[in-house]
Amino acid sequence: MTPPADHLPAASAAGTPYADLGPDLILDALESVGLVPDGRLLALNSYENRVYQVGIDEPPGAPPLIAKFYRPQRWSDAAILEEHAFASELAAREIPVVAALELNGATLHHHAGHRFALFPRRGGRAPELGDAATLEWIGRFLGRIHAVGRVADYQHRPALDIGSFGYDSRDWLLGHDFLPADLLAPWRDAADAALDGVARAFERAGEVRRLRLHGDCHGGNILWNDEGDAPGPHFVDFDDSRMGPAVQDLWMLLSGDRQEMSRQLADVLAGYEDFCDFDPRELRLVEALRTLRLLHYSAWLARRWNDPAFPAAFPWFNTHAYWQARIGELQQQVLAMAEPALWGA
């Protein structure tokens, strides 16, 4: 499902989406919603959107805020507001997510052709995903997130499926001359074989329930807090939230060989199933979802290549070596998808 284009700002006249997003515009945007910034700006590590830590002058002693400027033409206003509403719904149930702040009765704001939202700053470190107790703790909160995610469906955000993440990614790359001529056929053959494997995995799993997800639940989007009144994990960045199978929010927490991943999965599910039932048929989708993410990631980089931040941050992309490695990766995924599912499902 494609989000409706009810309010999709065009890219800037300079041809790149953030060409005019300088410090003055950022500070003016904050002032437009009644804030008094102190002039301190710190760009944070984000490429899809632009995210800044902003110092606040009034009231005295106010903590910095996080300002997120959304990429033009990606999400509609309605889709962004659905994400905000879901995070607020979770926060209202004391689930540790970082939800957008409501200012002047709104969470999404517009200024000078840009859309932005403000968030409280949350500190923390990366979680220790090799630790059983940490995984179980994260699993408990994921179970709570999914229990709420089942209550209603998204209406304006797309689903994670083989069409949008798989076939669309393959076709876009083949249609935009990113692949070297001598690797075009080998990559296409590997992608086709991988997508056939994905389709078979979804057929074996059957009709699994889809719910509102975090969507990008890897260790970088979980901040671990050791202090304060709410120690433990805090889930950030719901920008990729969409409808999909529950296992999408679990598999990115797993790493290592099959034995290690099975142990880690058992630890996550030990906490998860305290709050939400898990359909073991979804375990047949772990390698299929990994395959879709690999294809989508290459297409994401290619689609963003006109943004100057991307060639600077990903200089290894679109080299001959890059595409050779992707061919091998997809071939390995074909083999992985043919193996039995994790945890004996």
Side-chain angles (χ1 to χ4, degrees):
M1 179 175 68
T2 301
D6 59 335
H7 195 115
L8 292 174
S12 71
T16 57
Y18 301 108
D20 62 342
L21 188 62
D24 288 344
L25 191 151
I26 295 167
L27 297 175
D28 287 346
L30 269 66
E31 290 175 352
S32 75
V33 295
L35 295 172
V36 182
D38 64 10
R40 291 177 297 165
L41 284 176
L42 175 64
L44 302 181
N45 188 28
S46 178
Y47 301 104
E48 183 66 4
N49 305 294
R50 293 295 188 267
V51 182
Y52 304 89
Q53 179 176 297
V54 185
I56 301 299
D57 197 40
E58 292 182 11
L65 296 177
I66 303 301
K68 176 179 179 178
F69 287 80
Y70 289 91
R71 178 172 291 273
Q73 299 180 305
R74 183 179 183 225
W75 296 124
S76 68
D77 282 10
I80 294 172
L81 290 170
E82 275 195 322
E83 173 217 326
H84 290 180
F86 182 37
S88 294
E89 194 177 350
L90 297 171
R93 288 164 171 76
E94 299 184 342
I95 298 171
V97 304
V98 180
L101 297 170
E102 183 174 317
L103 297 170
N104 305 320
T107 56
L108 181 63
H109 312 284
H110 301 78
H111 180 75
H114 290 275
R115 299 172 298 169
F116 68 99
L118 293 151
F119 299 82
R121 184 185 64 169
R122 291 285 185 271
R125 58 174 174 82
E128 296 177 10
L129 296 180
D131 177 66
T134 296
L135 288 172
E136 185 173 347
W137 200 339
I138 291 172
R140 286 197 294 272
F141 279 119
L142 280 175
R144 293 180 63 190
I145 289 171
H146 287 181
V148 177
R150 288 179 172 185
V151 171
D153 292 347
Y154 279 138
Q155 301 301 315
H156 300 281
R157 298 180 77 84
L160 193 168
D161 56 32
I162 189 173
S164 59
F165 267 54
Y167 298 128
D168 287 355
S169 297
R170 177 201 61 187
D171 295 346
W172 200 94
L173 288 166
L174 290 175
H176 287 81
D177 298 325
F178 271 86
L179 286 137
D182 62 319
L183 296 180
L184 178 61
W187 183 88
R188 183 182 59 231
D189 292 345
D192 288 346
L195 287 169
D196 287 344
V198 171
R200 287 192 296 271
F202 273 87
E203 288 172 4
R204 289 194 298 268
E207 288 294 325
V208 298
R209 183 172 187 172
R210 283 167 168 74
L211 60 142
R212 291 176 294 173
L213 302 167
H214 181 285
D216 194 26
C217 193
H218 55 76
N221 281 333
I222 302 174
L223 297 177
W224 196 270
N225 182 16
D226 294 304
E227 302 174 355
D229 297 331
H234 287 73
F235 296 82
V236 301
D237 194 4
F238 278 70
D239 195 63
D240 285 305
S241 183
R242 60 189 66 223
M243 299 293 295
V247 73
Q248 169 64 16
D249 278 351
L250 307 184
W251 74 262
M252 277 185 275
L253 301 172
L254 314 179
S255 62
D257 60 25
R258 285 179 58 84
Q259 183 176 358
E260 291 173 307
M261 288 194 292
S262 293
R263 177 189 59 76
Q264 293 159 2
L265 178 63
D267 293 333
V268 173
L269 289 176
Y272 184 95
E273 293 191 304
D274 286 344
F275 295 94
C276 193
D277 293 334
F278 181 78
D279 183 349
R281 294 180 304 160
E282 293 192 25
L283 297 179
R284 302 178 187 274
L285 302 178
V286 169
E287 293 303 331
L289 290 168
R290 191 193 310 277
T291 302
L292 290 179
R293 183 175 176 85
L294 293 172
L295 286 166
H296 183 261
Y297 185 70
S298 289
W300 174 69
L301 290 172
R303 285 177 165 128
R304 300 293 184 255
W305 208 237
N306 71 325
D307 182 337
F310 277 71
F314 308 102
W316 37 260
F317 173 69
N318 209 31
T319 63
H320 202 272
Y322 173 84
W323 292 111
Q324 282 184 315
R326 300 292 74 74
I327 291 168
E329 194 172 55
L330 291 171
Q331 291 169 340
Q332 288 298 314
Q333 283 305 113
V334 171
L335 299 176
M337 286 185 285
E339 293 185 358
L342 289 177
W343 218 45

